[in-house]
Amino acid sequence: MVVMKMKFPFQKRVKLAQGLWLLSWCATLAGAITFALGCILKTELRRRAEVMDNSDIHVVPNTLMIVGLASLGINYFASKICQDALDAGRFPRWKNMLKPYFAISCFFTVLMLLAVIMSYVMKGNLESSLKVGLRNGIRFYKDTDTPGRCFQKQNIDRLQMEFQCCGNNDFRDWFEVQWISNRYLDFSTKEVKDRIKSNVDGRYLLDGVPFSCCNPSSPRPCIQYQLTNNSAHYNYEYQTEELNIYLRGCREALVNYYMGLMNTIGAGVLSVFLLQGSVLVSLRFLQTSMEAVAGNENTEIETEGYLLEKSVKDTVMEYVGPLMTFFLLTNQVEEGATGAPAGP
């Protein structure tokens, strides 16, 4: 059953080829933009790699860069096909190449759609990665003398100031770790001894936060230490006071930033996907309408073009069937090799 059959007079074919040539170059530019967006997202993710536990989220920019590069090649060839479609003598040379061309083009177009979907649904992966990464970053904040962690303090401080956040979930996360190195503690003082003895792990814990948690917009000088001790500060109450440190956790801030970036990029790539789909559909109509001209002396006859020669199911099986047969044969060969008896 032919899908979406249409009649194409000579002038309509010419206009289709000319319009498709322009559209394919627009799609080529869009492919370059897609690649650039993937690079931007990759760079932004790598900037915060030290507070991410894994790189699973990098599948989104990696996919965008792959489909962006593929789109450049696909649409370049589409423009060449459109040029040759204006000359009935040159178009037949593309006949054997168009079937694999459409298969490859459809694969990368679907991959582009998957990249858009992933940019919206990978919030959970990003959040879990940041949760573990930030927790480790806070724990190793004090290890400025440890190889591999020398810049952890600087990275966390810059992060908190740039994103105006404090801690992982909130500022209380700093109460649960020793974030001041032992080299800066005077162990001869009673205060240090008492704090270390007050917990079973022997850590110097205090209800304070690093300077990078301070909110410069607050009219009051920053209160970094003894945040829960009302008597330590004049006219201060911990439970009701609008603290002059950032109240938002860095995980929330980073998730909002990256999801906003990916959602914006996703919307842009979705428009590129629609443009790419339009190129492929138009090119298919041009191909099928030109096939009837091949071998005909009168190249200005009216022809018919269609999207699919068979039903959607039959067309999918036509492309997938050979792949399934290949994988089945490969599997049988491997099983035969594994089960073969050993030689004498």
Side-chain angles (χ1 to χ4, degrees):
M1 181 182 67
V2 177
V3 178
M4 294 184 66
K5 183 186 291 186
M6 297 175 61
K7 293 188 179 295
F8 286 89
F10 174 71
Q11 289 298 329
K12 189 174 181 180
R13 289 199 305 273
V14 172
K15 290 180 179 178
L16 176 61
Q18 292 173 339
L20 183 54
W21 179 85
L22 180 61
L23 192 64
S24 63
W25 279 111
C26 290
T28 302
L29 177 61
I33 293 173
T34 301
F35 176 77
L37 290 174
C39 292
I40 291 171
L41 181 57
K42 182 81 171 179
T43 303
E44 286 298 306
L45 289 171
R46 288 178 66 88
R47 283 183 63 207
R48 305 299 171 193
E50 71 278 355
V51 293
M52 292 187 184
D53 181 53
N54 56 63
S55 57
D56 293 348
I57 193 67
H58 285 253
V59 69
V60 177
N62 291 344
T63 305
L64 289 175
M65 288 189 289
I66 290 171
V67 297
L69 288 175
S71 182
L72 292 175
I74 289 169
N75 292 295
Y76 171 76
F77 280 106
S79 67
K80 299 295 290 182
I81 294 170
C82 293
Q83 280 184 323
D84 289 350
L86 297 173
D87 186 345
R90 289 190 299 175
F91 186 77
R93 67 178 181 174
W94 294 98
K95 183 176 181 180
N96 296 329
M97 298 175 58
L98 285 175
K99 187 173 182 178
Y101 170 83
F102 276 112
I104 294 171
S105 300
C106 289
F107 170 77
F108 282 108
T109 303
V110 171
L111 194 61
M112 186 180 293
L113 180 61
L114 289 177
V116 174
I117 295 172
M118 286 189 295
S119 68
Y120 287 93
V121 303
M122 291 200 71
K123 181 179 179 179
N125 298 68
L126 176 63
E127 192 163 7
S128 60
S129 177
L130 286 169
K131 180 179 180 180
V132 177
L134 283 168
R135 185 175 62 203
N136 292 334
I138 292 172
R139 188 175 63 179
F140 301 138
Y141 179 86
K142 69 181 187 304
D143 298 340
T144 53
D145 297 329
T146 305
R149 302 175 188 168
C150 302
F151 296 99
Q152 196 67 44
K153 177 184 179 299
Q154 182 183 31
N155 291 333
I156 293 296
D157 283 333
R158 290 183 182 277
L159 173 69
Q160 293 190 144
M161 289 187 290
E162 180 179 347
F163 287 90
Q164 299 184 351
C165 58
C166 185
N168 189 347
N169 298 309
D170 57 31
F171 65 93
R172 296 177 185 84
D173 293 323
W174 290 104
F175 299 176
E176 302 171 3
V177 297
Q178 179 181 336
W179 52 272
I180 299 177
S181 176
N182 286 340
R183 67 182 295 188
Y184 303 116
L185 296 176
D186 184 359
F187 288 91
S188 63
T189 62
K190 184 177 182 301
E191 180 193 356
V192 173
K193 290 180 181 179
D194 290 343
R195 284 193 178 277
I196 291 176
K197 291 179 181 178
S198 64
N199 67 88
V200 294
D201 296 327
R203 295 177 298 169
Y204 182 76
L205 304 181
L206 69 162
D207 54 345
V209 295
F211 78 97
S212 53
C213 284
C214 293
N215 185 354
S217 300
S218 173
R220 182 169 186 162
C222 186
I223 298 176
Q224 290 179 248
Y225 302 103
Q226 295 183 313
L227 291 173
T228 59
N229 186 357
N230 293 334
S231 61
H233 313 285
Y234 176 73
N235 194 22
Y236 175 83
E237 188 164 346
Y238 167 68
Q239 297 294 340
T240 59
E241 181 80 5
E242 181 73 25
L243 300 181
N244 56 359
I245 59 175
Y246 298 125
L247 301 180
R248 183 174 64 161
C250 289
R251 174 152 53 100
E252 178 188 350
L254 284 171
V255 168
N256 291 342
Y257 172 73
Y258 282 121
M259 288 309 299
L261 183 61
M262 286 197 293
N263 291 348
T264 302
I265 290 175
V269 176
L270 181 60
S271 62
V272 176
F273 165 78
L274 296 174
L275 178 61
Q276 185 66 58
S278 301
V279 170
L280 293 179
V281 170
S282 301
L283 188 59
R284 177 61 176 169
F285 278 120
L286 181 63
Q287 174 207 359
T288 53
S289 64
M290 287 297 297
E291 285 176 350
V293 179
N296 199 315
E297 293 183 2
N298 184 9
T299 60
E300 298 185 5
I301 60 173
E302 182 179 85
T303 58
E304 288 185 344
Y306 49 84
L307 186 61
L308 297 176
E309 187 176 5
K310 304 173 185 177
S311 65
V312 176
K313 181 180 178 181
D314 292 339
T315 304
V316 171
M317 290 307 300
E318 182 180 349
Y319 284 92
V320 176
L323 290 174
M324 294 178 64
T325 304
F326 171 76
F327 285 122
L328 286 173
L329 289 173
T330 304
N331 190 39
Q332 290 174 359
V333 169
E334 288 178 354
E335 290 178 353
T338 304

